[in-house]
Amino acid sequence: MSMRQAPTRALDATTAASQVYAALKRDLIRGRFVAGEKLAISHLRQTYAVGLSPLREALNRLAAYGLLAQENQRGFRVPALKRRELDDIAGLRQQFEVQALEAALRHGDAQWEAELLAAFHRLKRADEQPDALEHWEQMHLQFHRRLLEPCGSVWLLRFIEQLHDQFDRYRRMAPAHQDLRAQLDVQHAELVELALARGVAAARELIHAHIQLSYDVAKSACSE
Amino acid sequence: MSMRQAPTRALDATTAASQVYAALKRDLIRGRFVAGEKLAISHLRQTYAVGLSPLREALNRLAAYGLLAQENQRGFRVPALKRRELDDIAGLRQQFEVQALEAALRHGDAQWEAELLAAFHRLKRADEQPDALEHWEQMHLQFHRRLLEPCGSVWLLRFIEQLHDQFDRYRRMAPAHQDLRAQLDVQHAELVELALARGVAAARELIHAHIQLSYDVAKSACSE
DNA sequence: TATGCTGAAAAAATCGATTTTTACTATGAC
DNA sequence: GTCATAGTAAAAATCGATTTTTTCAGCATA
C-alpha cells in the first residue's frame, strides 16, 4: 500500500472554539440577534451544537473584539445600536480608509492589481451563487480588504477591519440596506479603475463618499 | 441589630477570569515572559492559582486583544518583538495621539483640568510608593488616559490604549528604559501646562516628541 | 402602596476528568 | 546516513458535573 492516507492534519482542522467564534461573529454582524439582547448561554449551546468551554471561549474573544458586551457576573449582551457610536465609527472609518487607500495606491504592485481585479470579479458574480445575499457580503468584505492590503500598516488594517465589522452591524440592521447594493457596486468599479490608474486624489474622494453612502442608510438602524 | 451587613455584592467582586486576565496582561506588558515563548498552560495554572476554564478564557481575551498569539491546535505564544511592528505601532500612536490631544484641548472643561492635575500629581508622587517602579507605570498610563479622555471618540481612545499597551511591551523590554523617566516627567509637566493654556500647536508637537523619545529607546528591544 | 427580606429557581462561572491532537523518540527500511 | 513510520509522552481542547452568584416571586413590614 504505497497510497498515502489523508494527511494527519486536515487543512480545515480548526478548533470548536474557533468555529463557534466565526459562526457567532457572522450572525452578530448579520443581525441575527436583537440589539441589546442578553445571550442565553445554554440556548447558544444547543443552537451551535458545542460544549460549554469552547462556547465561552468564543464569547470572551468576541467581547474583547467589541462585538459583545461582558457584564460582571451576569453574562454576555449584544451591544445596543447607538447613533453616537455609529457617528464615531463612521468618522474613523472614513479617516482611516482614506489614509490607507492612498498608501495602498502608492505601494501596490502588479500582483496586487491582479488580485484586486480577481476580487472585483468575484464580487460582480456574487448574485449567481446560492444564498446570494450573504455571498455578496462576503465578497464585498474581501474586496475592501484586498483594496487596502498593501497600505503598509498591519495595525491600521486591523483597526479598519474592526471598524468595518462594527459598521456593518449597523448597516445590515437598516431596513433599506439592500437597495444600496447597486449604487455601491458602481463605486466599486470606479475604485478599481482609480486604483489601477493610481488616481490618488480622486480615490480618496471616492472612498470617503463610498462610506458616506452606507453611513446615511445605516443611521436608520439606530434607536437613539 | 440594625448594623448593616457588608453589601451582597462587594465592590471588587470580579470573576476569576477577569483577575487572571488583568494579572497576565500586566505581566506580559511588564516583560515577565520571554518574547516568542510558548506558554505552558498547566504551569500558568499554578502560577496564577486558577482553574483551567477561567485561565483559558483570559488567554482567549488576550489573544483577541493582540497581546498573545493563538496557534491552531497548539496553544498560546508570546508574540516576538519585531522592529517592523514597533515602527508601525509607534507611527500610528503618534498620529492618533496628536489628533486626540488636539480634540481634547478643544473639548476639555474645568472638571477635566482638575482631574488632569490630580493625575499629574499622583504621577509626581509615584516614587514614594512601595514598588515605585510599577506604581509609576500605573500612574503614567492613567495620566495619558486622562489627558486624551475628552477627545470625543470612544473608538479612537480604545485604539490608542491598545497601541499604548503594545508599545509599552517594547519600551519596558528595552535595557535603558528606566533612564528615560526623568526626561519623560519633564515633558509631562509641560503637557499639563499646555493643556491648561490650550496651546494646541505646541501640544501637538510635544506629544509627538514625547512618543518619539520612548520610541528611540524601545528600538533596542527588538531582535530583528 | 412602597420597601425590604427570604428562599427557591435560574443562570453564570468554575472545576477536574476525559478526549483529542501534537511533539518527540526510537526503530527499521532503503 | 537519511527518511519514513510507529509508538509513547505531553500538551491542548473539550466535556459534563459542581459551585457560586444573580434573579425573581412571595411574603412580611411599615
Side-chain angles (χ1 to χ4, degrees):
Chain A
M1 298 285 156
S2 65
M3 192 66 174
R4 288 276 312 269
Q5 283 289 97
T8 321
R9 187 187 313 162
L11 281 171
D12 63 339
T14 149
T15 62
S18 295
Q19 286 175 274
V20 201
Y21 173 80
L24 267 168
K25 181 178 170 183
R26 211 193 50 215
D27 289 345
L28 280 164
I29 293 171
R30 260 184 148 173
R32 281 282 182 85
F33 298 94
V34 180
E37 172 187 10
K38 174 138 181 262
L39 292 182
I41 295 192
S42 60
H43 182 250
L44 294 178
R45 249 191 78 170
Q46 297 181 304
T47 310
Y48 294 93
V50 279
L52 210 56
S53 311
L55 176 57
R56 286 191 59 89
E57 289 180 19
L59 294 172
N60 272 279
R61 280 202 238 174
L62 286 164
Y65 188 66
L67 279 172
L68 282 180
Q70 190 164 20
E71 292 164 359
N72 198 4
Q73 309 247 39
R74 57 203 70 156
F76 298 86
R77 184 175 294 280
V78 180
L81 300 172
K82 303 194 183 179
R83 181 55 197 274
R84 274 289 183 79
E85 189 168 34
L86 175 61
D87 295 344
D88 189 9
I89 290 164
L92 284 179
R93 251 199 90 185
Q94 286 178 323
Q95 181 194 331
F96 290 1
E97 296 202 22
V98 163
Q99 175 179 342
L101 182 55
E102 168 156 2
L105 292 206
R106 296 201 190 283
H107 299 137
D109 57 9
Q111 174 65 19
W112 167 66
E113 294 177 359
E115 284 166 357
L116 183 62
L117 281 167
F120 178 59
H121 185 76
R122 283 193 291 271
L123 179 60
K124 274 191 301 190
R125 293 297 170 90
D127 320 327
E128 301 167 11
Q129 295 289 326
D131 195 3
L133 229 98
E134 185 60 26
H135 193 254
W136 183 86
E137 293 287 352
Q138 287 298 318
M139 294 304 106
H140 184 222
L141 183 61
Q142 282 183 32
F143 172 77
H144 280 280
R145 243 198 294 245
R146 188 66 83 187
L147 181 66
L148 305 182
E149 196 168 46
C151 81
S153 169
V154 173
W155 278 92
L156 185 58
L157 289 176
R158 183 186 174 121
F159 294 144
I160 286 172
E161 176 105 10
Q162 200 169 353
L163 288 170
H164 200 140
D165 285 337
Q166 290 290 332
F167 185 87
D168 275 3
R169 205 167 75 87
Y170 286 84
R171 177 176 60 81
R172 298 184 66 175
M173 208 70 99
H177 83 93
Q178 294 201 38
D179 310 339
L180 215 60
R181 262 177 55 181
Q183 283 176 274
L184 291 176
D185 276 331
V186 172
Q187 295 182 324
H188 293 140
E190 295 171 358
L191 279 169
V192 171
E193 282 204 44
L194 288 170
L196 298 186
R198 314 289 161 157
V200 170
R204 289 175 58 109
E205 293 284 333
L206 183 52
I207 192 74
H208 192 280
H210 188 63
I211 295 166
Q212 188 68 41
L213 190 59
S214 296
Y215 177 26
D216 289 333
V217 168
K219 287 171 185 168
S220 65
C222 300
S223 54
E224 17 176 342
Chain B
M1 296 293 144
S2 66
M3 193 62 174
R4 287 277 311 271
Q5 282 291 96
T8 321
R9 186 187 314 163
L11 281 171
D12 63 340
T14 151
T15 62
S18 295
Q19 285 175 272
V20 201
Y21 173 81
L24 267 168
K25 181 177 171 185
R26 211 193 50 215
D27 289 346
L28 280 164
I29 293 172
R30 259 185 147 172
R32 282 280 182 87
F33 298 94
V34 180
E37 171 186 11
K38 175 140 180 264
L39 292 182
I41 294 193
S42 60
H43 182 248
L44 294 178
R45 248 191 78 171
Q46 298 181 304
T47 310
Y48 294 93
V50 279
L52 210 56
S53 311
L55 176 57
R56 286 190 59 89
E57 288 180 19
L59 293 172
N60 272 278
R61 280 202 239 175
L62 286 164
Y65 188 66
L67 279 171
L68 283 179
Q70 190 163 20
E71 292 164 359
N72 198 2
Q73 308 248 40
R74 57 205 69 160
F76 298 85
R77 183 175 295 280
V78 180
L81 300 173
K82 303 193 182 177
R83 181 54 196 274
R84 273 291 183 78
E85 190 169 33
L86 174 61
D87 295 343
D88 189 9
I89 290 164
L92 284 180
R93 250 201 90 185
Q94 287 178 322
Q95 182 195 331
F96 291 0
E97 295 202 22
V98 164
Q99 176 179 342
L101 182 56
E102 167 156 3
L105 291 208
R106 296 202 190 283
H107 299 138
D109 57 9
Q111 174 66 20
W112 168 65
E113 295 177 359
E115 284 165 357
L116 183 61
L117 281 168
F120 177 58
H121 185 77
R122 283 193 291 270
L123 179 59
K124 275 192 299 190
R125 293 296 170 90
D127 320 328
E128 302 166 12
Q129 295 288 325
D131 195 3
L133 228 98
E134 185 59 27
H135 193 254
W136 183 85
E137 293 287 352
Q138 287 298 318
M139 294 304 105
H140 183 222
L141 183 60
Q142 281 183 32
F143 173 78
H144 279 281
R145 242 197 295 244
R146 188 65 82 186
L147 181 66
L148 305 181
E149 197 168 46
C151 82
S153 170
V154 172
W155 278 92
L156 185 59
L157 288 177
R158 184 185 173 123
F159 295 143
I160 287 172
E161 176 107 10
Q162 200 169 353
L163 288 170
H164 199 141
D165 284 339
Q166 291 290 330
F167 184 89
D168 274 3
R169 206 167 75 87
Y170 286 81
R171 177 175 61 80
R172 298 185 65 176
M173 208 70 100
H177 82 93
Q178 294 201 38
D179 308 340
L180 215 61
R181 262 177 56 180
Q183 282 176 276
L184 291 177
D185 275 333
V186 173
Q187 294 182 325
H188 293 140
E190 293 171 359
L191 279 168
V192 171
E193 281 204 45
L194 286 171
L196 298 187
R198 315 289 161 155
V200 171
R204 288 174 60 111
E205 294 285 333
L206 184 53
I207 192 75
H208 192 281
H210 188 62
I211 295 167
Q212 189 69 41
L213 189 60
S214 296
Y215 176 27
D216 288 334
V217 168
K219 287 171 184 169
S220 65
C222 299
S223 53
E224 15 178 343

